[in-house]
């Protein structure tokens, strides 16, 4: 096979496109939740409660992680692998910190008397933040593939490709959380 | 002179091919049985896997329909054979009501999702997108393989639900809560419903992986010269179908996720004020209508996911076998685009009688009725393509024309059902059953059969038998009308769907005789499918060997060798110079000009509009025309 079929480098563009399409389907998934939230809220019988303060801190953490990933990408482009590794680790740890913060937010909700069961207003909060958390976990796995690329000395082309995939996905779940938080905040 | 030039050029091309083929041979892949037939990443093999799994599921779906038709035709009669076959589900030779409902549910689910979504899109998108666009394979062959195996697992789980104590899901293919949300509601709401949800989750994952791959391939891997407006209408249809799926299936997942939370974790998204056996359930504050909104946001686009690939296949088959360019190529694309967009803003017409605000009902009514416009554009374009064509009645062509017939007769009743006021009377009656079976069931399955007969030579290198094909078509066509046409009148009379025995209600009794006729027609129609099955499986092994381009078609897939090779084309991927519908072009000796033939080889038939305003080419053409005393009407 002389041309492009087995030459993976020519397959980067379609694969990147696939990631974008996955982002689109994910957007629809969460759009369904938030639309359901609005429809259900409009029907009445809706408990109103305050959002836990921790969500503010987790939002700050996730934005910071986006910044560090951006820097890591920049360092990768400059072929500064040591710095790239450092900022990748920072991103990874901020991602973990975000998950821990979300866990504390749930604990605060429970202490406020908002449970998964009961009035749907609380259930929605758990389901929405829970499925966003699953996306973060998926994002962490993608970051691991980048770390592997950086440590095993893959070709710069592949290293940059993985960084690009991770950037698309990680910035997406960052923006997604900001949207979800604002949505929940404005609908309190 | 022109002929000898053409021959010389062809010889050169052929020589190049043989050279590259020997070159290719040295690097041939050595596939084992497992990588070639089972975990294959080759789109052509995956297409066959989808098709055969789809056919197997289709056979099951048809058998279920025959079972419940027997119940509807002879509600009080005992058939000992049924008890022998189904055991406790047909005690005393009569189907149990629970089993009747399970049959209706799984028949709907299998036909809608497993046969007409995965079987149709999965087969033909996989086969044709790379072949008609000139790509070596899909954007991600690995994801493509995963897509098939997820679909296969979904099928296994769905079929497995027949073998559990409490029976399969029975809440209808739309699984409305609370019937689906409360495990105690009926026997099928327990484990059967759980398996249904697991199966559908796998199915959606499969569809999304497939669809994402199709979109990425269409946008990124077209061969040189294949711009979007040179794509065959099949590809346009598959492409837009994949977009509809990408945007709507995630919403079904959300709906199913909330349903799973209600079933298993005690939330109340869809449940409120439920009393079972005198006991009040703790759930409070949920809304079952919410589920309907989420479900139909997928559910309605889903019917277009079913019909659009069938429409695309029909466009291709009708143009090829009428030996005419498709009438209104751009209009066909824009109408598909219109259907794609409109499909997302009409879901409310399934919910007119849920207590919806009449104003919103009116909005949904208008958007629904607007869909008639692009649909009618497509229909008239099919008819105009057929008009004065040099029609060849291949089996594929018969089924394509069959689709047009069903699409018209089923589509017209859509105008009635889309009307919020009329729907009060028609909702949930046999009128609905008649409507959607004709417009998306029969029409889409005709499109699928048309595709199978047309591309069978491409898939298996052999031809299917035409005579058996005719037999298959005519019996299927006549029986389908016999089955579904009388249902319109039952619906107008107010007979509700999904009722177990017509003998139980005085006002339904007079329709029993019609039910017997329908059941007989269904049985004969189902037997006709045996002709297809025999023809299909026999021809795979013993059919007449096919030529490279048996239908004298223009599209790229017929430039690949009959014997499948990995990567589709030996040597280079062909370049595309023209649109795919140059059939019977005046001035050309053959009645077709493949997309790979450059305009420099067809001086005798070129129009100035073919030359895209290229002044040099126009000058050469003008000189040629003068030398050969050719006058062209579109000379500016």
């Amino acid at each position: 096979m002389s041309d492009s079929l087995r030459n993976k480098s020519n397959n980067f563009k379609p694969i990147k496109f696939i990631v974008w399409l996955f982002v689109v389907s994910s957007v629809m998934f969460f759009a369904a939740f938030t639309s359901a939230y609005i429809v259900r809220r409009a029907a009445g019988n809706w408990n109103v409660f305050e959002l836990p303060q921790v969500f503010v801190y987790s939002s700050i953490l996730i934005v910071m992680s986006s910044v560090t990933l951006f820097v890591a990408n920049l360092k990768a482009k400059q072929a500064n692998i040591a710095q790239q590794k450092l900022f990748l680790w920072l991103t990874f740890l901020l991602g973990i910190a975000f998950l821990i913060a979300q866990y504390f937010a749930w604990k605060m909700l429970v202490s406020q008397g908002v449970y998964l069961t009961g009035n749907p207003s609380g259930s929605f909060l758990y389901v929405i933040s829970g499925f966003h958390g699953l996306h973060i976990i998926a994002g962490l796995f993608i970051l691991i593939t980048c770390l592997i690329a950086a440590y095993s000395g893959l070709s710069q082309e592949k290293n940059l490709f993985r960084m690009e995939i991770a950037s698309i996905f990680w910035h997406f779940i960052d923006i997604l959380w900001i949207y979800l938080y604002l949505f929940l905040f404005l609908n309190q | 002179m022109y002929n000898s030039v053409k021959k010389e050029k062809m010889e050169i091309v052929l020589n190049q091919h043989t050279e590259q083929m020997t070159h290719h041979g040295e690097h041939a892949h050595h596939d084992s049985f497992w990588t070639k037939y089972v975990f294959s990443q080759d789109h052509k093999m995956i297409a066959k896997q989808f098709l055969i799994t789809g056919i197997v599921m289709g056979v099951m779906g048809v058998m279920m329909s025959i079972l419940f038709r027997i119940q509807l035709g002879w509600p009080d009669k005992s058939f000992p054979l049924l008890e022998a076959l189904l055991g406790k589900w047909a005690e005393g030779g009569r189907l149990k009501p629970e089993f009747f409902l399970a049959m209706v549910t799984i028949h709907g689910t299998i036909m809608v999702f497993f046969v007409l979504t995965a079987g149709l899109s999965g087969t033909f998108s996989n086969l044709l997108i790379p072949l008609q666009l000139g790509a070596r394979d899909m954007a991600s062959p690995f994801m493509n393989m995963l897509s098939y195996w997820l679909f296969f697992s979904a099928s296994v789980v769905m079929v497995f639900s027949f073998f559990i104590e409490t029976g399969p899901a029975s809440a209808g293919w739309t699984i409305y809560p609370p019937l689906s949300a409360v495990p105690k509601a009926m026997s099928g709401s327990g484990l059967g419903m759980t398996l249904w949800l697991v199966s559908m989750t796998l199915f959606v994952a499969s569809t999304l992986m497939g669809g994402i791959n199709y979109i990425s391939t269409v946008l990124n891997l077209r061969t040189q010269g294949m711009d979007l407006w040179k794509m065959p209408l099949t590809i346009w249809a598959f492409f837009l179908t994949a977009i509809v799926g990408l945007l709507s299936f995630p919403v079904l997942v959300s709906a199913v996720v909330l349903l799973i939370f209600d079933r298993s974790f005690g939330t109340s998204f869809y449940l409120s004020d439920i009393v079972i056996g005198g006991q009040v359930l703790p759930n409070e504050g949920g809304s079952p209508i919410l589920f309907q909104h989420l479900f139909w946001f997928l559910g309605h686009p889903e019917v277009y996911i079913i019909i659009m690939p069938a429409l695309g296949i029909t466009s291709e088959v009708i143009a090829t076998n009428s030996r005419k360019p498709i009438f209104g190529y751009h209009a066909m694309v824009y109408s598909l685009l219109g259907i794609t967009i409109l499909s997302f803003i009409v879901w409310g017409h399934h919910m007119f009688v849920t207590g919806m605000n009449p104003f919103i009902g009116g909005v949904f009514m208008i958007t629904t009725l607007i869909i008639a416009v692009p649909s009618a554009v497509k229909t008239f374009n099919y008819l105009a393509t057929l008009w004065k064509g040099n029609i060849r009645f291949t089996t594929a062509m018969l089924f394509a024309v069959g689709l047009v017939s069903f699409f018209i007769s089923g589509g017209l009743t859509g105008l009635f059902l889309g009307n919020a006021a009329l729907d009060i009377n028609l909702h949930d009656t046999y009128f609905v059953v008649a409507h959607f079976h004709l417009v998306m069931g029969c029409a889409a399955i005709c499109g699928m059969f048309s595709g199978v007969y047309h591309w069978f030579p491409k898939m298996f290198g052999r031809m299917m038998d035409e005579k058996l094909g005719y037999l298959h078509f005519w019996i299927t066509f006549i029986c389908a009308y016999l089955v579904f046409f009388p249902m319109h009148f039952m619906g107008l009379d107010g007979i509700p769907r999904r009722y177990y025995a017509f003998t139980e209600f005085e006002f339904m009794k007079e329709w029993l005789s019609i039910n017997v006729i329908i059941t007989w027609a269904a049985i004969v129609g189902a037997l006709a499918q045996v002709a297809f099955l025999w023809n299909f499986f026999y021809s795979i092994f013993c059919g007449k060997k096919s030529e490279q381009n048996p239908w004298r078609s223009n599209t790229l897939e017929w430039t690949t060798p009959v014997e499948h090779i990995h990567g589709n084309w030996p040597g280079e991927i062909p370049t595309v110079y023209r649109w795919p519908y140059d059939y019977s072009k005046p001035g050309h000796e053959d009645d077709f000009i493949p997309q790979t033939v450059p305009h420099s080889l067809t001086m005798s038939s070129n129009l100035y509009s073919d030359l895209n305003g290229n002044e040099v080419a126009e000058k050469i053409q003008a000189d040629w025309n003068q030398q050969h005393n050719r006058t062209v009407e579109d000379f500016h």
Side-chain angles (χ1 to χ4, degrees):
Chain A
M1 207 65 42
S2 46
D3 57 88
S4 63
L5 174 64
R6 292 295 148 214
N7 190 352
K8 286 288 180 197
S9 64
N10 285 348
N11 219 15
F12 282 171
K13 199 180 143 207
I15 301 269
K16 211 170 88 184
F17 200 78
I18 283 175
V19 178
W20 275 113
L21 292 174
F22 176 80
V23 166
V24 171
S25 73
S26 220
V27 165
M28 288 308 293
F29 179 72
F30 282 96
F33 281 144
T34 48
S35 317
Y37 187 99
I38 294 171
V39 169
R40 175 60 198 79
R41 186 187 154 92
N45 185 11
W46 184 260
N47 274 0
V48 181
F49 55 88
E50 240 173 62
L51 283 183
Q53 195 68 39
V54 187
F55 276 157
V56 178
Y57 303 124
S58 60
S59 303
I60 293 170
L61 285 171
I62 195 78
V63 171
M64 275 165 63
S65 76
S66 255
V67 173
T68 53
L69 185 65
F70 179 77
V71 176
N73 202 17
L74 214 63
K75 295 294 172 196
K77 276 184 194 154
Q78 298 162 354
N80 188 344
I81 305 297
Q83 294 269 315
Q84 182 201 349
K85 283 179 197 163
L86 174 71
F87 280 97
L88 268 178
W89 276 117
L90 272 176
T91 315
F92 189 82
L93 291 177
L94 283 167
I96 302 262
F98 172 82
L99 284 180
I100 294 169
Q102 296 295 79
Y103 173 73
F104 276 107
W106 281 9
K107 281 193 99 169
M108 279 178 73
L109 279 172
V110 170
S111 65
Q112 279 176 32
V114 179
Y115 301 102
L116 175 63
T117 57
N119 193 286
S121 66
S123 313
F124 267 115
L125 192 59
Y126 283 102
V127 170
I128 289 174
S129 57
F131 273 89
H132 178 263
L134 285 180
H135 279 69
I136 293 282
I137 292 173
L140 290 176
F141 277 104
I142 296 179
L143 288 180
I144 290 175
T145 65
C146 288
L147 283 166
I148 291 173
Y151 274 94
S152 63
L154 280 185
S155 70
Q156 174 70 349
E157 197 188 14
K158 280 188 180 162
N159 182 25
L160 283 181
F161 175 64
R162 289 195 185 180
M163 285 301 288
E164 215 171 338
I165 299 292
S167 301
I168 294 172
F169 191 73
W170 194 266
H171 294 316
F172 160 63
I173 49 183
D174 171 18
I175 295 167
L176 179 65
W177 173 253
I178 301 301
Y179 159 71
L180 291 173
Y181 178 62
L182 282 179
F183 174 85
L184 293 169
F185 182 76
L186 295 175
N187 275 298
Q188 268 187 71
Chain B
M1 179 211 111
Y2 149 73
N3 261 341
S4 69
V5 170
K6 190 175 167 187
K7 259 184 201 147
E8 235 169 68
K9 182 150 184 167
M10 269 180 61
E11 266 162 31
I12 294 169
V13 171
L14 275 176
N15 284 340
Q16 281 174 345
H17 272 202
T18 22
E19 261 170 47
Q20 271 149 341
M21 266 171 104
T22 36
H23 179 72
H24 172 76
E26 286 160 21
H27 298 274
H29 296 269
H30 296 287
D31 292 323
S32 74
F33 172 80
W34 287 95
T35 54
K36 187 167 180 205
Y37 294 106
V38 185
F39 296 107
S40 171
Q41 297 192 21
D42 185 302
H43 71 99
K44 302 182 288 296
M45 182 56 69
I46 294 173
K48 290 187 215 171
Q49 291 173 327
F50 266 108
L51 179 58
I52 289 174
T53 315
I55 288 176
V56 171
M57 293 303 275
V59 168
M60 285 187 216
V62 167
M63 288 197 312
M64 283 172 216
S65 69
I66 297 301
L67 281 178
F68 65 69
R69 276 313 322 174
I70 288 176
Q71 164 62 29
L72 288 169
W74 301 281
D76 294 329
K77 208 166 162 190
S78 161
F79 297 91
L81 183 64
L82 287 184
E83 189 171 9
L85 281 174
L86 302 168
K88 70 161 181 162
W89 296 115
E91 263 168 20
R94 277 186 70 192
L95 285 194
K96 272 192 178 172
E98 293 85 4
F99 197 62
F100 176 85
L101 291 174
M103 286 285 165
V104 175
T105 303
I106 306 295
H107 165 81
T109 311
I110 284 185
M111 288 305 195
V112 167
F113 292 110
F114 291 78
V115 180
L116 292 174
T117 302
L120 183 57
S121 269
T123 304
F124 291 104
S125 298
N126 268 315
L127 180 73
L128 294 178
I129 288 178
L131 282 176
Q132 289 195 330
L133 290 180
R136 296 286 186 203
D137 207 310
M138 284 287 175
S140 168
F142 177 75
M143 254 172 72
N144 211 17
M145 174 188 80
L146 220 55
S147 160
Y148 172 73
W149 284 104
L150 283 168
F151 166 58
F152 182 80
S153 323
S155 310
V156 169
V157 174
M158 189 60 78
V159 172
F160 178 74
S161 69
F162 273 96
F163 300 100
I164 58 173
E165 181 72 34
T166 46
S170 317
W173 80 279
T174 54
I175 56 156
Y176 283 171
L179 214 46
S180 59
V182 182
K184 284 181 283 182
M186 62 198 289
S187 70
S189 300
L191 182 59
M193 195 66 227
T194 306
L195 289 175
W196 193 98
L197 293 170
V198 170
S199 170
M200 281 311 294
T201 310
L202 292 170
F203 181 87
V204 172
S206 154
T207 310
L208 283 176
M209 281 194 189
I212 285 176
N213 232 332
Y214 306 152
I215 298 172
S216 183
T217 310
V218 170
L219 290 181
N220 290 299
L221 296 177
R222 299 190 308 277
T223 185
Q224 205 182 348
M226 178 68 85
D227 56 59
L228 289 177
W229 291 109
K230 286 199 180 71
M231 296 199 308
L233 286 169
T234 37
I235 304 299
W236 271 109
F238 300 146
F239 173 55
L240 293 169
T241 304
I243 291 178
V244 176
L246 179 72
L247 296 176
S248 62
F249 270 110
V251 179
L252 178 70
V253 179
S254 303
V256 164
V257 161
L258 298 184
L259 185 59
I260 289 172
F261 271 91
D262 272 7
R263 285 172 60 80
S264 309
F265 303 106
T267 55
S268 316
F269 292 109
Y270 306 132
L271 296 174
S272 193
D273 311 311
I274 301 210
V275 184
I276 292 186
Q279 258 193 324
V280 184
L281 291 191
N283 305 78
E284 172 262 332
S287 154
I289 305 295
L290 177 62
F291 180 84
Q292 296 197 19
H293 278 297
L294 290 174
F295 179 85
W296 286 114
F297 190 85
L298 157 89
H300 197 79
E302 170 63 25
V303 307
Y304 295 101
I305 291 173
I306 286 173
I307 197 66
M308 289 207 310
L311 293 173
I313 290 170
T314 303
S315 307
E316 185 65 28
V317 171
I318 284 186
T320 307
N321 290 301
S322 301
R323 312 310 289 163
K324 269 182 69 186
I326 191 83
F327 188 91
Y329 172 82
H330 284 76
M332 289 300 238
V333 174
Y334 286 125
S335 57
L336 281 175
L337 205 63
I339 292 175
T340 300
I341 294 163
L342 287 170
S343 70
F344 287 104
I345 48 173
V346 298
W347 80 90
H349 69 224
H350 297 271
M351 301 165 61
F352 283 145
V353 294
T354 54
M356 177 184 269
N357 181 330
F359 173 74
I360 297 178
V363 172
F364 277 123
M365 180 173 99
I366 290 167
T367 54
T368 302
L369 296 185
I370 290 175
I371 289 205
V373 177
S375 308
V377 167
K378 295 199 77 71
T379 309
F380 285 118
N381 282 354
Y382 290 136
L383 298 178
T385 308
L386 289 165
W387 181 253
K388 292 190 174 172
N390 217 342
I391 298 179
R392 294 184 313 204
F393 286 103
T394 62
T395 317
M397 182 63 164
L398 288 179
F399 274 105
V401 176
L403 173 141
V404 177
S405 166
F406 286 127
F407 195 60
I408 296 172
S409 55
L412 282 175
T413 51
L415 296 174
F416 296 77
L417 287 167
N419 191 306
L422 291 176
D423 191 60
I424 295 170
N425 194 34
L426 297 173
H427 187 86
D428 235 354
T429 65
Y430 270 91
F431 195 84
V432 181
V433 179
H435 162 71
F436 73 72
H437 273 97
L438 284 178
V439 78
M440 67 176 238
C442 295
I445 203 78
C446 268
M448 186 164 165
F449 279 133
S450 174
V452 171
Y453 281 101
H454 192 77
W455 281 286
F456 190 86
K458 191 73 261 165
M459 279 190 268
F460 299 101
R462 292 174 187 271
M463 310 290 282
M464 287 177 80
D465 186 67
E466 288 276 296
K467 293 233 164 60
L468 267 178
Y470 283 1
L471 186 76
H472 174 217
F473 170 75
W474 282 109
I475 302 181
T476 307
F477 184 74
I478 293 167
C479 286
Y481 268 122
L482 279 177
V483 168
F484 297 114
F485 214 77
M487 288 186 188
H488 291 109
F489 303 107
M490 295 166 81
L492 287 172
D493 196 33
I495 309 291
R497 55 197 282 216
R498 291 177 179 152
Y499 273 34
Y500 166 69
F502 277 35
T503 42
E504 301 290 315
F505 303 92
E506 197 54 45
F507 78 106
M508 292 165 79
K509 275 187 184 154
E510 57 180 354
W511 290 98
L512 264 174
S513 52
I514 299 291
N515 259 350
V516 174
I517 295 173
I518 293 179
T519 301
W520 274 116
I523 291 171
V524 174
L527 286 176
Q529 307 314 309
V530 178
F532 168 74
L533 292 175
W534 169 262
N535 198 354
F536 183 83
F537 287 106
Y538 180 82
S539 302
I540 289 178
F541 302 104
C542 309
K544 203 179 90 200
K545 281 245 165 51
S546 154
E547 312 157 38
Q548 194 184 14
N549 189 355
W551 314 120
R552 297 162 67 75
S553 184
N554 286 342
T555 36
L556 277 185
E557 76 271 30
W558 305 106
T559 62
T560 61
V562 179
E563 204 67 43
H564 285 175
I565 56 168
H566 208 62
N568 297 338
W569 282 270
E572 271 186 48
I573 302 176
T575 304
V576 164
Y577 299 97
R578 56 179 76 233
W579 78 326
Y581 296 107
D582 269 343
Y583 289 109
S584 305
K585 202 173 184 189
H588 193 73
E589 51 194 11
D590 279 331
D591 64 352
F592 71 114
I593 313 175
Q595 286 189 278
T596 49
V597 178
H599 288 102
S600 57
L601 293 181
T602 57
M603 298 300 276
S604 60
S605 67
N606 287 350
L607 301 173
Y608 284 102
S609 53
D610 292 334
L611 305 174
N612 288 329
N614 181 335
E615 278 173 27
V616 181
E618 277 177 12
K619 170 112 186 14
I620 296 171
Q621 185 70 51
D623 290 347
W624 192 94
N625 288 352
Q626 210 169 19
Q627 277 172 21
H628 294 79
N629 290 328
R630 176 169 179 252
T631 47
V632 186
E633 278 171 18
D634 77 333
F635 190 73
H636 28 223

